[in-house]
Amino acid sequence: MSGTVGELAGDSMERPLLTPEAAEAVLRELAGQTTAPVAEGPEPGRVFAAAERRSAETQRVETRLRLAEARYRTLVEQMPVVTFLAALDGGVNELYVSPQIESMLGFSQKEWLEDPILWYTRLHPDDRERWHVEFARTCVSGERFRSEYRFLARNGRVVWVHGEAQMVRDEAGRPLFLHGVAYDITEKKHAEEVLWRLNQELERRVLERTAELEQANAALARQTEELARSNAELEQFAYVASHDLQEPLRMVASFTQLLARRYEGKLDADADEFIGYVVDGAVRMQRLINDLLTYSRVGRTGDTLVPTDCAAVFTTACANLRVAIAECGAEVAADPLPTVMAERSQLLQVFQNLIANALKFRREDEPPRIHVGASRQGADWLLWVRDNGIGIDRQYAERIFLVFQRLHGRRHYPGTGIGLAICKKVVERHGGQIWVDSEPDRGSTFYFTLRAGDDAENDGRYA
Ligand code: ADP
């Protein structure tokens, strides 16, 4: 800032920009008056000398002021903002506005200055009250005025204007002028508005989506609960039904057996045959009911899982099956087997059912060769029972794990079709999975997973 402007404006932006005298001179200058009114004195001679001195003085001041004014004008009229000066005599009357006002609001500098309250009539009606409040606050606090208002341009367009102004006061502290700058922030406002709208939209969508998800979650929770409830009911039903059926069935079975013993050969041949069927049916139903009861007794494992040595369980299973193993000359072997988290009796059921099936579904042309193996998979162990039996068609790979699902007639391979369903229930209750990999005539491998029962230190012990 040049020294001259500095003199006019003061060194600090926070101090009044003009001294009252300098301001008055500037105003006279702006209004076209070049000299101050000359006081009338009594003595012509002294008056003349005094007038001459004053005139020389005035000229010097005038020159300095013109220079200052020229520099000031060049400066303010080059900036891409509107500069203004308004008198605070009763209202706020525009005294000076820089020509940039025309590109901002469409009114010329001249029009603006001819009508000192034109600015107020162009202030958006909805912003006027706010202006009064904010202006009053500035007058009282003396703080810098800074705000944003809408103005109506000549063509009716709404222009957002950012204004900043400083109050200029006289020595007694009375407000004299308002001196400041204003610039067009319409684009910024529009961008802000677009952003705001996008934000609102985003928030709305997030809320909507969250509500949808919450609804879906609630529905899922309800369904899960419903499923668990109906599952528990079914289990209870299966248990009660099979348990309660046992007693009358035992009666039917024993009396038909009695009937068979006592009346065999005493009635006709048809009667003997029919009694045979009844005895058979009753015995078979007893077996089914027993198996169903066993199945529904596979309860929740809960806290009952303990580190269980699979090798010991395997040995027990083989011991329980030793007659069947010996009968068919089977070869049953196992790799070193790990410790898993399990309920021992349930794990024994799994091993026993799988090995029994491997013995039962053997090929006719060679004795069964059964191999039990294990490999570590992260926190789990993968275990398998492999045989060289008749195999299973891929399309039945899932069905065979369902209750009472069998692929063969009872004549060839006796059974009730519940062994694998029990294995699946046990493994899943232990948090694992079970599946089969097989091909007809090429043997089968039943895989299942269980949580490892050892610490991390022992990882790989069996790998
Ligand atoms: P069950 O042995 O009483 O028939 P399972 O539930 O144990 O009942 O087995 C269901 C069916 O799966 C069997 O009937 C058989 O068809 C098939 N299956 C099970 N294990 C084997 C196996 N190791 N090899 C071939 N088929 C098998």
Side-chain angles (χ1 to χ4, degrees):
M1 204 175 260
S2 83
T4 326
V5 174
E7 273 178 300
L8 284 169
D11 296 330
S12 151
M13 287 299 280
E14 298 311 319
R15 283 202 311 212
L17 296 173
L18 296 168
T19 62
E21 299 77 30
E24 240 172 86
V26 170
L27 290 178
R28 274 200 306 280
E29 182 73 12
L30 290 171
Q33 291 175 258
T34 49
T35 50
V38 178
E40 283 181 19
E43 278 179 71
R46 287 177 66 184
V47 167
F48 182 74
E52 229 178 27
R53 264 204 313 282
R54 204 174 296 156
S55 156
E57 178 79 1
T58 308
Q59 260 177 7
R60 260 209 321 283
V61 170
E62 261 177 32
T63 316
R64 277 178 58 195
L65 276 175
R66 271 219 189 81
L67 207 64
E69 202 265 339
R71 286 184 186 170
Y72 184 67
R73 195 183 288 274
T74 319
L75 187 71
V76 301
E77 294 181 0
Q78 290 306 309
M79 292 191 295
V81 295
V82 173
T83 312
F84 62 88
L85 182 70
L88 300 174
D89 41 7
V92 178
N93 300 309
E94 204 92 66
L95 288 176
Y96 171 75
V97 67
S98 63
Q100 294 94 317
I101 190 70
E102 189 158 359
S103 61
M104 189 161 91
L105 293 176
F107 294 98
S108 70
Q109 182 186 35
K110 190 161 168 286
E111 285 174 298
W112 212 255
L113 291 176
E114 274 170 6
D115 181 356
I117 57 158
L118 178 60
W119 72 270
Y120 188 77
T121 62
R122 306 311 297 180
L123 180 61
H124 197 290
D126 293 349
D127 286 358
R128 287 187 191 158
E129 198 180 317
R130 184 162 59 87
W131 179 85
H132 284 289
V133 173
E134 291 175 350
F135 179 66
R137 195 181 302 142
T138 300
C139 290
V140 174
S141 70
E143 278 170 14
R144 201 173 169 75
F145 181 83
R146 177 176 297 162
S147 196
E148 291 170 359
Y149 298 104
R150 280 166 295 176
F151 278 89
L152 296 168
R154 180 192 284 275
N155 61 8
R157 192 171 69 93
V158 172
V159 179
W160 270 99
V161 174
H162 177 95
E164 295 212 13
Q166 177 73 39
M167 194 75 80
V168 180
R169 295 166 190 272
D170 66 11
E171 273 151 357
R174 281 186 297 267
L176 281 176
F177 307 111
L178 198 61
H179 187 269
V181 294
Y183 51 89
D184 189 338
I185 53 160
T186 313
E187 265 180 36
K188 184 188 125 195
K189 278 283 175 191
H190 284 170
E192 271 173 14
E193 207 172 291
V194 169
L195 250 171
W196 183 83
R197 236 183 272 130
L198 284 176
N199 239 344
Q200 292 290 101
E201 175 64 15
L202 202 73
E203 248 169 55
R204 192 185 61 74
R205 278 200 218 161
V206 168
L207 285 179
E208 231 175 63
R209 194 84 193 95
T210 312
E212 270 172 29
L213 279 176
E214 269 166 14
Q215 251 175 19
N217 271 348
L220 203 69
R222 269 201 310 278
Q223 274 172 6
T224 311
E225 203 178 300
E226 176 68 11
L227 211 67
R229 197 186 54 73
S230 75
N231 230 358
E233 255 173 28
L234 266 176
E235 266 175 27
Q236 182 67 8
F237 172 76
Y239 177 77
V240 169
S242 43
H243 184 267
D244 291 0
L245 278 175
Q246 273 186 320
E247 194 43 43
L249 198 60
R250 194 172 299 136
M251 210 140 85
V252 172
S254 45
F255 277 97
T256 42
Q257 275 162 7
L258 193 68
L259 209 64
R261 274 206 304 277
R262 213 175 266 185
Y263 296 99
E264 198 177 0
K266 296 193 179 142
L267 305 167
D268 61 14
D270 276 356
D272 283 353
E273 195 187 333
F274 296 162
I275 289 174
Y277 288 146
V278 176
V279 171
D280 228 38
V283 169
R284 199 154 65 82
M285 199 185 283
Q286 260 182 326
R287 223 175 271 144
L288 282 169
I289 295 279
N290 268 338
D291 282 356
L292 200 59
L293 205 56
T294 315
Y295 177 78
S296 52
R297 274 192 185 127
V298 176
R300 308 207 159 271
T301 52
D303 299 330
T304 58
L305 298 190
V306 289
T308 306
D309 179 11
C310 289
V313 173
F314 167 75
T315 307
T316 309
C318 290
N320 292 348
L321 294 167
R322 66 183 173 276
V323 176
I325 293 173
E327 259 174 18
C328 58
E331 191 183 285
V332 188
D335 291 341
L337 294 177
T339 298
V340 295
M341 293 306 286
E343 219 240 59
R344 193 178 186 283
S345 64
Q346 293 188 16
L347 186 60
L348 178 63
Q349 261 183 320
V350 174
F351 272 107
Q352 209 164 299
N353 286 356
L354 294 179
I355 296 169
N357 277 351
L359 293 169
K360 181 162 61 174
F361 298 102
R362 63 180 179 269
R363 287 159 58 132
E364 279 171 11
D365 52 350
E366 53 181 343
R369 276 198 315 279
I370 303 166
H371 190 94
V372 179
S375 99
R376 185 71 185 237
Q377 308 237 307
D380 293 338
W381 277 99
L382 173 69
L383 293 124
W384 61 84
V385 177
R386 177 168 295 147
D387 65 46
N388 60 337
I390 60 170
I392 302 158
D393 199 318
R394 219 165 269 273
Q395 61 175 313
Y396 303 122
E398 287 186 18
R399 219 178 81 182
I400 54 169
F401 290 98
L402 301 178
V403 176
F404 299 145
Q405 293 294 321
R406 318 193 64 238
L407 305 179
H408 308 278
R410 268 177 298 121
R411 210 172 293 238
H412 280 97
Y413 302 99
T416 54
I418 217 153
L420 288 180
I422 289 177
C423 292
K424 185 174 163 73
K425 197 171 174 189
V426 168
V427 170
E428 288 180 353
R429 291 255 157 122
H430 280 68
Q433 283 175 302
I434 185 166
W435 68 96
V436 67
D437 185 20
S438 179
E439 251 182 76
D441 290 330
R442 311 202 53 165
S444 315
T445 307
F446 284 84
Y447 293 97
F448 58 101
T449 58
L450 289 170
R451 252 188 43 232
D454 49 10
D455 335 310
E457 283 164 28
N458 295 332
D459 281 7
R461 189 153 50 129
Y462 304 99

